[in-house]
Amino acid sequence: MLIYGYTKQYPKEELYAMTNQIRRCVTSIPANIAEGSGRRNKAEFMQFLHIALGSACELETFLIISQRLQYLREEEYQTANDLLNEIIKMLSSLIKSVKHST
């Protein structure tokens, strides 16, 4: 995963702080989509999709902070941010689709 590679270069003092939080966000997105898809009804699935979206927004914030602290180079930040924006768009589309399904 791209973000795991980037966070390997973070300062050691961030290992149990920002690095850990970023990695949790990254794994939380697909994990919540998967867990929600295994639920019995649409309302529960929607709840987990919104949790995944929240994790994506949290990751977006950590990427901004990482760039400002110069833990990420500009091109690393831009690559990660572009991919994350695509994920957010796809997730938002999935939420709309599930919301309007029967």
Side-chain angles (χ1 to χ4, degrees), residues 46-90:
M46 290 291 289
Q47 179 182 0
F48 280 91
L49 291 176
H50 281 100
I51 292 169
L53 185 58
S55 292
C57 292
E58 184 178 1
L59 178 57
E60 185 175 40
T61 301
F62 280 122
L63 290 176
I64 292 166
I65 293 168
S66 294
Q67 186 215 19
R68 290 184 181 170
L69 291 172
Q70 298 180 345
Y71 295 164
L72 290 176
R73 294 188 312 264
E74 180 60 33
E75 58 273 5
E76 291 172 331
Y77 167 77
Q78 200 58 55
T79 299
N81 194 53
D82 289 347
L83 290 170
L84 181 58
N85 284 330
E86 284 299 312
I87 291 167
I88 290 171
K89 286 178 192 175
M90 288 187 287

Side-chain angles (χ1 to χ4, degrees), residues 12-32:
K12 296 295 180 206
E13 64 266 15
E14 292 292 356
L15 182 61
Y16 298 106
M18 194 179 314
T19 301
N20 191 33
Q21 283 295 111
I22 289 171
R23 290 177 177 185
R24 280 193 216 180
C25 290
V26 168
T27 57
S28 175
I29 296 166
N32 276 292

